[in-house]
Amino acid sequence: MNQHTYLVVMAGGIGSRFWPFSRTNHPKQFHDVLGVGRSMLQMTVDRFAGICPAENVFVVTNRDYTELVQQHLPEMPADQILGEPIGRNTAPCIAYASYRIARQDPQAVIIVSPADHAVVRVDEFRRVVSQAVDAARTQDILITIGLQPTRPDTGYGYIQYREGQEAGIPVELRKVKTFTEKPNLELAQEFVRSGDFLWNSGLFVWRAEVIVRAFGQYLSDIAEVFEEGAAELGTEREVDFITRAYAHCRNISIDYGVMEKADNVYVMPAEFGWSDLGTWDSLHRIGQPDAQGNVVDGDTLLYDTTNCMIKTPTERLVVVQGLEGYIVAEYDNVLLICKRTEEQRVKEFVADAKAKKGAGYN
């Protein structure tokens, strides 16, 4: 295990498409979504065991969730939990952690991971990530990990790569040609047929100095903010500085701000049973269905029910009869019953619940 390897876990999102399970005051990364006794955040940190030391793991989250992070990761020192005053998408989040780590360790290689993804083949995941870390340690490149698509999914971003090998670049890597965010079905079908597109996992690997340089080149406004206050990172003045800094950071993703513009971006094709668990249907897809195609987490009795996703409190018996292809999800004060084919309307339901019933329902 290399002492210069660092992990940054992004854990500030709300995950509204997973409503009512994922809520503003308790997002999905703090839930045991898979019913295995570990939250998504805990499973994410577990996944990197043996890749980087525990003292090199940082979690970036909204300040409202820092106590939740501490509850789920009680062994993590408070100064490894980086609280954002407001959400500003992934570019400021990654800039905060990267500038902090770069100041602490100029030789750092940083892995960036969302907190709410699922991985089935953890050993293969660790092998792939370790290869990416080794490549980033010796190359001035920005690496993303891409997954072989198994279907034309319109909910994922896609990465097109160039065929062939570049001199001096590890054989596992391919030069990125284009990024496409959530295409329509016809385009997604063409991407899968072409054979040179991968799903964008949102997993990144790079040296600290390389990503800091990229911020300076492609997001100079954000770079200027963090460069001016770099000396305050890792000190008692950090919280006040970050409050000021985020007031000057625009809302922009790392993909749009850096990865789509840089000319030193490479992708590592992989397959380790990945899902971003962004929707109820994605949970159904990776779950263990019964003989009728139902994926169930809860105390239930099912009759004439097929191809449903059911997640309910274990302390409540739920009886379901005559449903085909539905989501039945209950958490706290909300019960959702929705066709799986209409799950894209969940954000609409959340907005209506908040507008008509109050903030306690979002």
Side-chain angles (χ1 to χ4, degrees):
M1 189 187 312
N2 193 296
Q3 297 301 310
H4 298 292
T5 304
Y6 291 74
L7 170 65
V8 173
V9 179
M10 299 183 292
I14 296 173
S16 58
R17 289 181 297 169
F18 230 77
W19 186 83
F21 201 60
S22 187
R23 310 286 277 275
T24 300
N25 64 349
H26 205 98
K28 67 176 178 178
Q29 59 266 30
F30 302 108
H31 286 277
D32 177 14
V33 173
L34 298 178
V36 295
R38 299 285 281 172
S39 68
M40 298 303 296
L41 175 60
Q42 290 169 328
M43 291 179 69
T44 299
V45 174
D46 293 347
R47 202 172 295 140
F48 290 90
I51 294 177
C52 66
E55 62 270 22
N56 290 0
V57 177
F58 290 83
V59 175
V60 188
T61 190
N62 190 287
R63 286 178 184 170
D64 291 341
Y65 304 145
T66 54
E67 288 189 12
L68 277 171
V69 174
Q70 289 172 331
Q71 290 171 20
H72 285 249
L73 302 172
E75 70 286 353
M76 178 173 285
D79 66 352
Q80 291 174 225
I81 302 171
L82 310 184
E84 297 180 289
I86 49 177
R88 280 289 186 260
N89 214 316
T90 54
C93 165
I94 290 171
Y96 179 9
S98 298
Y99 277 85
R100 164 78 180 268
I101 292 169
R103 183 173 184 273
Q104 174 180 325
D105 182 359
Q107 299 180 57
V109 173
I110 301 172
I111 308 161
V112 179
S113 173
D116 54 359
H117 290 183
V119 169
V120 175
R121 297 165 58 201
V122 175
D123 288 344
E124 175 64 7
F125 171 87
R126 289 173 177 155
R127 187 192 68 80
V128 169
V129 171
S130 295
Q131 280 191 328
V133 167
D134 290 343
R137 202 176 303 283
T138 59
Q139 305 286 329
D140 290 348
I141 57 178
L142 304 170
I143 300 172
T144 183
I145 294 174
L147 286 307
Q148 297 290 347
T150 57
R151 61 188 180 278
D153 198 305
T154 60
Y156 293 155
Y158 287 74
I159 301 170
Q160 185 183 25
Y161 60 89
R162 300 183 189 278
E163 294 290 353
Q165 194 61 39
E166 292 199 1
I169 299 297
V171 296
E172 300 86 5
L173 297 175
R174 296 291 181 270
K175 185 73 178 288
V176 170
K177 185 176 180 181
T178 61
F179 287 86
T180 303
E181 180 64 20
K182 296 180 181 178
N184 60 36
L185 180 58
E186 183 178 357
L187 199 54
Q189 290 171 335
E190 180 59 32
F191 287 172
V192 174
R193 278 195 298 267
S194 74
D196 60 351
F197 281 82
L198 303 166
W199 283 336
N200 187 350
S201 70
L203 282 159
F204 306 105
V205 185
W206 41 52
R207 285 205 320 281
E209 63 175 309
V210 177
I211 188 62
V212 165
R213 191 185 311 139
F215 272 106
Q217 186 170 356
Y218 303 107
L219 287 174
S220 57
D221 53 331
I222 292 177
E224 183 178 344
V225 168
F226 282 95
E227 285 167 3
E228 286 181 356
E232 300 183 56
L233 294 173
T235 74
E236 68 278 0
R237 302 186 302 277
E238 179 174 314
V239 172
D240 289 340
F241 163 65
I242 290 299
T243 300
R244 299 192 307 272
Y246 268 65
H248 298 286
C249 288
R250 53 184 160 134
N251 188 315
I252 186 169
S253 71
I254 194 70
D255 293 277
Y256 184 76
V258 173
M259 303 300 280
E260 293 181 16
K261 297 178 173 64
D263 60 2
N264 60 336
V265 179
Y266 290 79
V267 63
M268 179 170 285
E271 180 49 66
F272 39 69
W274 170 88
S275 173
D276 75 345
L277 286 185
T279 64
W280 286 109
D281 204 51
S282 65
L283 182 58
H284 183 275
R285 191 174 290 116
I286 71 163
Q288 298 295 322
D290 63 17
Q292 286 71 45
N294 302 303
V295 174
V296 180
D297 182 5
D299 188 6
T300 63
L301 292 173
L302 306 183
Y303 304 89
D304 311 315
T305 293
T306 58
N307 299 319
C308 288
M309 177 66 236
I310 302 172
K311 190 170 180 67
T312 56
T314 55
E315 66 271 14
R316 186 194 309 277
L317 175 64
V318 175
V319 181
V320 180
Q321 187 276 329
L323 292 186
E324 180 179 357
Y326 269 77
I327 299 161
V328 179
E330 181 182 3
Y331 181 75
D332 195 13
N333 56 352
V334 177
L335 168 65
L336 170 70
I337 303 173
C338 171
K339 289 182 179 179
R340 284 176 56 197
T341 55
E342 296 291 322
E343 71 166 356
Q344 71 275 9
R345 297 186 63 188
V346 169
K347 284 194 172 184
E348 172 191 340
F349 302 156
V350 176
D352 283 351
K354 182 179 180 180
K356 298 175 181 179
K357 300 296 183 179
Y361 292 91
N362 69 328

